[in-house]
Amino acid sequence: MQFKPIYGTLLPLVPALTSGLLLFSAFPGPGLYPAAFFALVPLWLSLDRISSKQAFYAGIGTGTGFYLPLIYWICPTLTEYGGLNPLAALSCLLLLVLYLSLYTGVFALAMKKIPVPDGLVPFWGAVAWVALEYIRTYLFSGFPWGVLGYSQYPNLVLIQAADTFGVLGITFLLVLANGSLVIAFKAFARRAWPGKTNMAGLGLVMAVLCAVFIYGHFKLAQVHGQIKGAPSRKICVIQANIPQDQKWDRAFIDETIDQYSRLSLQAIPCDLVVWPETALPFYYGMDPVPSNRVDALVRKAGTFFLIGIPAARPSDHGFLYYNRACMLTPLALPAGYYDKHHLVPFGEYVPLKRLLWFAEKLTAGAGDFSKGETGPVPLTFGTGTTGVLICFEIIFPHIARDFVLNGADILTTMTNDAWFGRTQAALQHFSIAVFRAVENRRSVVRAANTGISGFIDPSGAILEKTDIFTACALTRQVPVMSGKTFYTRNGDFAAQACLVAFFLVCVVKSMKKKFRRTL
C-alpha cells in the first residue's frame, strides 16, 4: 500500500479541519467567541502550500468541521419528528453540510486563485467571505444559520456597529482580523519586518478595528442613556413547555389550555401577554368549544394577548393553512393578525411537491402551510405596536427591518424549538435575536414553547431568559425606542457592495487570464 499519496491528500485537511472546529467553538454551545478572531488563520496560511484544487477541498473541509457539529441537531429532529430512518436523516444532514461547505470552499479558492498585495489580503478575504454569506442568506430560500458575526452576540461593545452595517458588518471585521494575523504570521515565518505595503494594510486594519471598538464603547453608553429616558411596556412571555409528542394530540387540548391559562393569569397585570408559535393545537375561531375557553381567559385577564395559532381558509383548491400570530383585545376580539411569510422548506412546506412527494412526511408534525400575504404590518396593542417574526423569520434581517420601517416600536418573535431537543440549537436560535435588537434599536421579546424565552434590550443586552424545558411566565418592563438606525433605513448596503466587488474582481481576473492566453 502506498502511504505517500494518501498522506499528501490528507495533510492539507489538518489545518482546514482545525479552522472549522475553531469556528464552531466560537458559537453558542462551546461559546468561545474570541476564537472567531483567529479561527480562519490555519486554513488561510495553508493555502500557499497547496494547489487550487486542494484549496477548494480544504475549504470544504473547513466547512465540514464547522457546520457538522454546529447543525448536527437536524439529524435527531428528522428522525424523531420527521419520521425518517437514521440513515436517511444522516444523509439529509450531510447533504446540507456539503452545500454550506461549498461556500467556504469557494472562499478558499478565491484566496488561492486571486492573489492580491499582502497588505490587501485582509480586505479581500473580508469582501469574499461577506459576499458569500450574503448569497447564502438569500439563495434557495436562504439559510443564514452560522453567519460568522452571530458568534459575537455576547461581545456587546463590538456588535454596536450592527446598527450601521448589520450582522454581516461584524462578519467583515472578524475576517479582517483573521487576515491581519495571516500577514503577521507570514512575516514572522520569514523573520522579516513587513514591507511598507503590508504595514500600511496592517495599520489600516488596526485603525478600522479600533474605530469600531471606540464607536461601540460610546454608542453603548449613549443607548443606555436613551433606554433610561424611554417609555416602557410591561410584557409577559409564556413558556408552557408542551411536549412535542402531545402538542397536536387532540386528547391534550384541555390540558394545554389549562397550562396556558394558569401561567397567563400569574402574569397580569401587564400590557401584553405573548404565547409561542402555534400555541393552540386547534383552529381558533373554527373549533368553538376550545376557542370559547381561550376567549374567556382573555376577558378574565383583561389585557392584550398575542397568540400563535394555526389558521385555515377555504380556496378554489381546498383549504389553505397558515402559521399565524393573532392579536386579541382585552375583550377577546381579534385586533389583527400576521401570517408567517418566510416558510421553512421541508419543515413547513415541500417545494416542488409533485417531484418530491416522498418528502411530504417531513411536514406532518408542523403542517403544510401556505405563504402569508399580510406583509410586515405591525400589530397594535393599546398604544404600542409590535412586529412579529415567527420562528426562523428572526434569522432574516430584512424581515425585522421591514416591520420597523412600518412603525413597530418593539419586535416580538414566537417559536416552538421543541424540535431541537436538548441540543445547542435553541441557544443558537435565541442568540440571533440579539442582532435584530441592535440593528434596529428595538427591544426584542421572545416566547418559545420549550425555551429559550426572554427579553433583549435595544443595546443587545439579554435582560432575562429562561432555561429550556421548563414551564414558566416571565414578566418585564421593556424599553420602547423610536427612530430608525442607519441599518434600518439602508439595510445590507455594505454587504451588497462586497458582493458587487467580489464578482467584479473575479470577472476581471478571469478576463485577464483569458486575454493572456490569446496573446
Side-chain angles (χ1 to χ4, degrees):
M1 181 180 292
Q2 295 181 342
F3 289 100
K4 285 188 178 180
I6 298 175
Y7 175 80
T9 302
L10 295 180
L11 186 60
L13 292 179
V14 174
L17 289 173
T18 300
S19 282
L21 292 174
L22 285 172
L23 286 171
F24 165 66
S25 72
F27 279 79
L32 304 175
Y33 68 89
F37 286 89
F38 56 83
L40 290 172
V41 172
L43 169 68
W44 215 327
L45 286 174
S46 72
L47 299 179
D48 289 341
R49 303 188 299 273
I50 57 179
S51 67
S52 296
K53 183 178 180 180
Q54 287 176 317
F56 178 67
Y57 289 140
I60 290 178
T62 294
T64 302
F66 173 33
Y67 292 112
L68 191 58
L70 187 77
I71 61 171
Y72 78 91
W73 42 265
I74 287 175
C75 200
T77 298
L78 292 177
T79 302
E80 188 170 354
Y81 301 114
L84 295 186
N85 64 60
L87 183 59
L90 179 61
S91 299
C92 291
L93 170 63
L94 293 178
L95 283 173
L96 179 56
V97 168
L98 177 60
Y99 164 70
L100 296 174
S101 299
L102 290 175
Y103 291 95
T104 51
V106 172
F107 168 78
L109 185 61
M111 296 304 99
K112 178 67 180 180
K113 291 278 288 183
I114 305 179
V116 297
D118 282 352
L120 296 179
V121 164
F123 294 94
W124 170 232
V127 165
W129 190 280
V130 168
L132 292 166
E133 283 198 336
Y134 184 79
I135 294 171
R136 181 160 67 88
T137 299
Y138 296 103
L139 187 64
F140 304 132
S141 180
F143 188 67
W145 201 278
V147 164
L148 189 55
Y150 286 132
S151 65
Q152 300 304 296
Y153 82 97
N155 192 346
L156 283 182
V157 174
L158 177 67
I159 68 174
Q160 298 309 305
D163 70 353
T164 303
F165 301 109
V167 65
L168 292 176
I170 307 305
T171 291
F172 188 94
L173 296 171
L174 294 172
V175 181
L176 206 60
N178 278 269
S180 66
L181 289 175
V182 169
I183 294 178
F185 274 116
K186 285 183 177 180
F188 179 79
R190 292 192 298 263
R191 298 183 180 180
W193 191 257
K196 290 183 179 180
T197 303
N198 292 357
M199 287 299 296
L202 286 173
L204 185 56
V205 170
M206 292 301 105
V208 170
L209 292 175
C210 287
V212 169
F213 275 99
I214 291 171
Y215 173 85
H217 175 77
F218 285 101
K219 192 68 178 181
L220 199 56
Q222 181 188 41
V223 172
H224 284 162
Q226 292 172 342
I227 288 173
K228 289 181 180 179
S232 65
R233 301 281 185 274
K234 190 175 182 181
I235 298 179
C236 175
V237 293
I238 305 300
Q239 181 172 304
N241 192 35
I242 306 299
Q244 191 62 30
D245 58 356
Q246 297 180 11
K247 185 173 175 62
W248 299 106
D249 189 335
R250 292 191 65 86
F252 292 94
I253 287 180
D254 288 340
E255 185 177 328
T256 297
I257 296 175
D258 288 342
Q259 177 81 318
Y260 277 107
S261 298
R262 179 180 60 82
L263 293 170
S264 298
L265 292 175
Q266 291 176 5
I268 56 175
C270 62
D271 298 308
L272 176 67
V273 177
V274 183
W275 289 4
E277 175 191 19
T278 56
L280 298 183
F282 58 89
Y283 293 102
Y284 174 77
M286 297 177 69
D287 291 348
V289 175
S291 297
N292 289 339
R293 288 197 62 197
V294 173
D295 290 345
L297 162 67
V298 173
R299 286 191 289 267
K300 183 176 181 180
T303 191
F304 286 87
F305 275 68
L306 181 60
I307 298 175
I309 60 173
R313 71 173 177 85
S315 71
D316 294 337
H317 305 287
F319 278 90
L320 297 178
Y321 300 94
Y322 298 94
N323 191 345
R324 177 171 292 179
C326 181
M327 182 71 76
L328 299 177
T329 70
L331 296 177
L333 300 174
Y337 64 88
Y338 167 75
D339 289 335
K340 188 177 182 183
H341 178 80
H342 197 117
L343 302 175
V344 181
F346 303 106
E348 292 172 311
Y349 78 104
V350 177
L352 305 174
K353 187 181 297 185
R354 291 184 178 179
L355 294 176
L356 303 176
W357 54 268
F358 56 86
E360 282 195 68
K361 63 182 178 180
L362 293 179
T363 63
D368 190 5
F369 292 110
S370 298
K371 183 178 179 179
E373 301 172 357
T374 52
V377 178
L379 302 180
T380 300
F381 61 101
T383 58
T385 57
T386 181
V388 184
L389 297 96
I390 300 176
C391 193
F392 268 30
E393 287 186 325
I394 195 68
I395 74 177
F396 296 98
H398 68 281
I399 300 177
R401 278 187 60 238
D402 288 343
F403 273 116
V404 175
L405 285 171
N406 288 333
D409 53 27
I410 66 169
L411 294 171
T412 301
T413 176
M414 51 173 61
T415 186
N416 174 29
D417 286 352
W419 311 97
F420 300 149
R422 295 187 178 275
T423 67
Q424 73 260 23
L427 182 55
Q428 292 171 9
H429 199 190
F430 180 86
S431 68
I432 290 170
V434 168
F435 282 85
R436 304 296 87 87
V438 178
E439 288 164 351
N440 301 285
R441 297 302 179 191
R442 292 295 188 270
S443 294
V444 174
V445 176
R446 190 175 196 266
N449 174 28
T450 56
I452 301 171
S453 304
F455 303 96
I456 302 166
D457 78 11
S459 75
I462 299 171
L463 301 176
E464 190 173 3
K465 65 185 180 72
T466 65
D467 294 326
I468 60 173
F469 293 101
T470 58
C472 60
L474 287 186
T475 304
R476 192 162 189 117
Q477 294 278 356
V478 298
V480 177
M481 290 179 61
S482 58
K484 297 177 178 61
T485 66
F486 185 88
Y487 179 80
T488 301
R489 294 193 304 272
N490 299 282
D492 285 309
F493 80 98
Q496 292 162 358
C498 287
L499 180 62
V500 172
F502 178 70
F503 277 111
L504 285 177
V505 170
C506 291
V507 168
V508 169
K509 174 66 178 177
S510 177
M511 291 179 65
K512 280 185 176 180
K513 188 175 181 180
K514 186 176 181 180
F515 179 73
R516 287 171 183 167
R517 286 178 177 176
T518 60
L519 293 178

